[in-house]
Amino acid sequence: MLCRLGGRWLRPLPALQLRARDPPLAPVPTSGAKRPTLSVWAVAPVSAVHANGWYEALAASSPVRVAEEVLLGVQATTGLPWWGSILLSTVALRGAVTLPLAAYQHYILAKVENLQPEIKAIARHLNQEVVVRANQLGWSERVARLTYLKNMKRLISELYVRDNCHPFKATVLVWIQLPMWIFMSFALRNLSTGAAHSEAGFSVREQLATGGILWFPDLTAPDSTWILPISVGVINLLIVEISALQKIGISRLQTYVTYFVRAMSVLMIPVAATVPSSIVLYWLCSSFMGLSQNLLLRSPGFRQLCRIPSTKSDSETPYKDIFAAFNTKFISRK
């Protein structure tokens, strides 16, 4: 027999959807399991590694060399001054790499959100079955709870497989964007200090020394005015606050993560004041592109263009809502 659930026809869950090849439902063991032990090599000290060995190894790594060649190629091809080449390279990388990945992230998260009503219905049904089985077999409350969690995890995984939207896929943006940010930062550090792995390393440093603009003509020196570092911190804080304003009913962990990211955005300011302006210019442009990307992906038209499924949390006037929430939280508050 079929039953209608959450707008879809589903088969009921007799015996918690246990298949013929599955063992009968049994209480989850709570003790007696033998824990694996770590091998000796897993806990051995790494005394042979110098304190700064990892830093120099990363600065001389192949991905950083590729980033250097990208920057040098853009500058040689366009003939732009170095500040323009850094901006163009950042916009191109963010537009060609991170924007599609961000759209894919929103696509996955939208599908996961649309599954929530079905997950809640299955949870209610499963809870009733576990209660019945617990009464029949005399399970303790702890065993019943663990059994419920184990089977609920399995059923949710089956839904994710069915709709091809496992939440882990939404993290692919972080695994690509963060390494790219690190490699580009190290590449600009090498170019600015003359440590670039290129025959033109020192000439590039001389070009960067005169390749700035406005109040930072020397891209190899820190910004003594702190305008660039403060701008980086402000834009990063804007990204954090806009994301936080859109979340309703966040968990305690999400709250802690938000506070942590806020603190990191503030700590970035003094750090940015001590590194070459070329690096800070890249950070500023990258953060500005991240803010623009964040706002663009809230546009109903752009989401439809990217075929991101509609959800209940979508708004027809996202920018008006953001401004109203920002005004209520920071401006109108007494």
Side-chain angles (χ1 to χ4, degrees):
M1 294 178 63
L2 298 177
C3 60
R4 188 173 182 83
L5 186 61
R8 304 189 186 190
W9 289 99
L10 299 174
R11 289 187 174 86
L13 303 172
L16 302 181
Q17 289 190 345
L18 295 179
R19 296 176 288 273
R21 63 176 182 275
D22 292 334
L25 182 66
V28 177
T30 59
S31 62
K34 185 178 180 181
R35 296 184 179 181
T37 58
L38 291 175
S39 304
V40 175
W41 61 267
V43 294
V46 203
S47 57
V49 180
H50 296 290
N52 63 341
W54 67 269
Y55 184 89
E56 296 301 331
L58 180 58
S61 63
S62 297
V64 173
R65 295 188 184 188
V66 171
E68 292 170 7
E69 294 302 325
V70 168
L71 290 166
L72 292 170
V74 170
Q75 203 278 332
T77 301
T78 63
L80 293 171
W82 267 104
W83 67 267
S85 298
I86 293 173
L87 293 181
L88 179 60
S89 301
T90 307
V91 172
L93 286 173
R94 296 282 299 198
V97 179
T98 62
L99 180 58
L101 291 176
Y104 179 71
Q105 180 188 57
H106 281 249
Y107 172 82
I108 294 295
L109 294 178
K111 296 186 73 173
V112 171
E113 181 179 344
N114 288 335
L115 276 177
Q116 295 311 304
E118 188 173 354
I119 290 176
K120 291 179 180 179
I122 291 176
R124 288 193 298 268
H125 187 79
L126 179 62
N127 183 63
Q128 295 174 358
E129 292 193 8
V130 170
V131 169
V132 172
R133 288 299 183 90
N135 292 332
Q136 292 176 348
L137 302 178
W139 292 348
S140 66
E141 181 180 350
R142 176 179 174 80
V143 172
R145 179 172 60 85
L146 293 177
T147 303
Y148 167 82
L149 293 176
K150 177 184 176 181
N151 286 276
M152 191 64 201
K153 182 178 180 180
R154 174 176 62 84
L155 294 174
I156 292 176
S157 297
E158 290 178 357
L159 290 179
Y160 289 155
V161 172
R162 185 195 70 187
D163 287 7
N164 192 23
C165 63
H166 196 285
F168 183 78
K169 293 182 178 181
T171 66
V172 65
L173 174 63
V174 177
W175 301 116
I176 299 297
Q177 180 174 308
L178 183 58
M180 185 175 70
W181 184 87
I182 293 174
F183 297 149
M184 289 291 291
S185 298
F186 270 88
L188 286 168
R189 171 258 188 191
N190 290 344
L191 294 174
S192 300
T193 60
H197 296 273
S198 171
E199 296 179 357
F202 286 97
S203 62
V204 170
R205 181 182 181 183
E206 295 172 357
Q207 294 173 13
L208 284 168
T210 58
I213 192 176
L214 300 175
W215 68 90
F216 54 100
D218 185 357
L219 292 176
T220 65
D223 180 12
S224 59
T225 67
W226 282 56
I227 295 177
L228 290 178
I230 292 176
S231 299
V232 171
V234 169
I235 292 180
N236 286 335
L237 283 174
L238 277 175
I239 296 174
V240 175
E241 296 305 327
I242 289 176
S243 299
L245 289 173
Q246 298 298 306
K247 295 178 181 178
I248 301 176
I250 61 176
S251 65
R252 180 177 299 180
L253 176 61
Q254 290 175 318
T255 301
Y256 290 154
V257 170
T258 300
Y259 280 120
F260 174 77
V261 178
R262 284 172 180 160
M264 291 300 297
S265 300
V266 174
L267 289 176
M268 279 290 292
I269 296 177
V271 172
T274 63
V275 300
S277 297
S278 59
I279 300 177
V280 188
L281 180 62
Y282 165 69
W283 290 352
L284 177 62
C285 185
S286 180
S287 297
F288 182 79
M289 287 295 296
L291 177 62
S292 303
Q293 174 180 291
N294 192 314
L295 295 174
L296 180 62
L297 284 168
R298 299 183 187 279
S299 167
F302 187 78
R303 291 176 68 87
Q304 185 177 5
L305 179 65
C306 296
R307 298 184 178 180
I308 299 175
S310 299
T311 64
K312 290 184 177 180
S313 63
D314 288 347
S315 172
E316 294 295 329
T317 57
Y319 306 121
K320 183 179 179 181
D321 296 342
I322 291 174
F323 178 79
F326 189 88
N327 182 69
T328 301
K329 184 175 182 179
F330 298 105
I331 300 177
S332 300
R333 185 176 58 181
K334 296 182 179 179

